Amino acid sequence: MRKNKFQEIYQELSIQIQEGKLRANTQLPSEHDLADQYDTSRETVRKALNLLSQNGFIQKIRGKGSIVLETNKFSFPVSGLVSFQELSVTMGKSSVTTVHDFRLIEPDQFLQQQLQTDSNELIWKVLRSRQIDGETIILDKDYFLKKYVSKLTKEIAEKSIYDYLENELGLKISFAKKEIVVVDCTEEDKRLLDLGGFEHIVVVKNYVYLEDASLFQYTESRHRLDKFRFVDFARRGR
């Protein structure tokens, strides 16, 4: 399905902002100039600018036009449900995924509680580290209920599990509940991550649900303190 014109304009401008081609604190061309540039109406341009504003790319200031806001390529979105592969593309950084553990397991009491299941349900366990620009700074511990993810391989885990789940298995991944805590580094963290001397680590816990509200995945994404910011963008309702 072809995108609406305003969506195409939004996508092009948002990419230019994220890539730094439109720099922070600079002013976008006027609605009139953008309408001429994209050979469209001012109303269509206005829809694209409203979408950019809603998603934190610009601030519309009366009498001054649209100002580009600061974005951070190392930011990890709190409210979004984004795979590491998708995130690494937006960061524009070289990255390597290493699978350290991949197998079917019987859940212990902790995993039974997190996934709201019992000991009879088999679970895929996937332990992966993420190297960005030569430093291993993220450790992802993923657990998927086998009754929803019938098949999984180490080769898939080395690439994008979500791409496989959505495009091969046809799962409709809908939403996640998240919890963010700072904890002491474990021996596993020290063994698999380049901690840079830090004794604590940020843990993002994800409880991921399908379209029918079935909980199918529990994840702990463990991040080195100094390398990632966890951000969201909000506007006060009027």
Side-chain angles (χ1 to χ4, degrees):
M1 182 180 296
R2 189 178 184 277
K3 291 182 179 178
N4 290 326
K5 184 71 173 181
F6 81 89
Q7 292 174 315
E8 293 177 356
I9 297 171
Y10 163 78
Q11 185 174 30
E12 183 172 325
L13 291 175
S14 65
I15 289 172
Q16 290 181 28
I17 292 171
Q18 291 177 82
E19 291 179 346
K21 294 177 182 177
L22 292 171
R23 292 184 297 175
N25 301 315
T26 61
Q27 187 175 335
L28 288 183
S30 68
E31 290 183 3
H32 177 78
D33 289 343
L34 287 171
D36 285 346
Q37 178 182 334
Y38 288 100
D39 190 24
T40 189
S41 67
R42 291 183 65 178
E43 179 60 29
T44 297
V45 167
R46 194 171 293 120
K47 287 182 180 180
L49 295 179
N50 285 339
L51 197 55
L52 287 168
S53 177
Q54 291 168 17
N55 288 291
F57 290 106
I58 64 171
Q59 175 67 42
K60 298 175 74 175
I61 301 176
R62 187 181 299 275
K64 292 187 177 181
S66 300
I67 305 300
V68 177
L69 297 178
E70 182 72 43
T71 60
N72 190 316
K73 293 181 181 179
F74 273 85
S75 296
F76 189 93
V78 173
S79 60
L81 188 49
V82 182
S83 71
F84 178 79
Q85 185 182 63
E86 293 166 336
L87 180 64
S88 63
V89 170
T90 65
M91 287 189 302
K93 300 289 183 178
S94 62
S95 63
V96 177
T97 292
T98 301
V99 179
H100 300 279
D101 194 359
F102 172 83
R103 55 196 162 104
L104 271 175
I105 62 172
E106 295 179 354
D108 57 19
Q109 190 171 0
F110 173 78
L111 287 177
Q112 290 176 45
Q113 182 179 8
Q114 305 312 306
L115 283 165
Q116 300 173 18
T117 188
D118 57 45
S119 59
N120 296 320
E121 291 281 1
L122 290 177
I123 292 176
W124 294 106
K125 175 183 178 180
V126 185
L127 178 65
R128 296 176 290 181
S129 63
R130 317 291 199 168
Q131 183 186 97
I132 300 176
D133 279 357
E135 288 189 291
T136 306
I137 56 176
I138 305 173
L139 185 63
D140 284 335
K141 304 171 74 170
D142 295 293
Y143 303 92
F144 302 89
L145 282 167
K146 188 177 185 295
K147 66 180 179 181
Y148 298 111
V149 183
S150 56
K151 181 183 178 182
L152 197 59
T153 67
K154 183 178 179 181
E155 289 70 29
I156 292 169
E158 288 171 341
K159 297 176 182 178
S160 173
I161 293 179
Y162 268 28
D163 180 65
Y164 167 72
L165 296 181
E166 293 178 318
N167 297 317
E168 296 293 331
L169 295 188
L171 294 182
K172 303 294 185 181
I173 302 170
S174 183
F175 65 94
K177 296 179 181 178
K178 301 195 176 195
E179 176 185 348
I180 303 175
V181 295
V182 177
V183 299
D184 292 336
C185 295
T186 65
E187 290 303 317
E188 184 177 61
D189 295 328
K190 295 175 183 177
R191 178 167 54 87
L192 298 178
L193 294 177
D194 299 323
L195 291 173
F198 288 97
E199 295 294 328
H200 295 84
I201 199 162
V202 176
V203 181
V204 182
K205 299 180 181 180
N206 285 272
Y207 301 84
V208 189
Y209 296 78
L210 299 174
E211 193 173 47
D212 64 358
S214 298
L215 174 62
F216 85 103
Q217 175 191 0
Y218 168 69
T219 294
E220 288 185 9
S221 190
R222 306 174 72 85
H223 298 255
R224 198 172 99 180
L225 283 174
D226 65 326
K227 285 297 182 179
F228 273 73
R229 292 192 309 161
F230 299 88
V231 301
D232 200 358
F233 186 85
R235 288 192 182 275
R236 180 172 171 80
R238 296 295 182 186

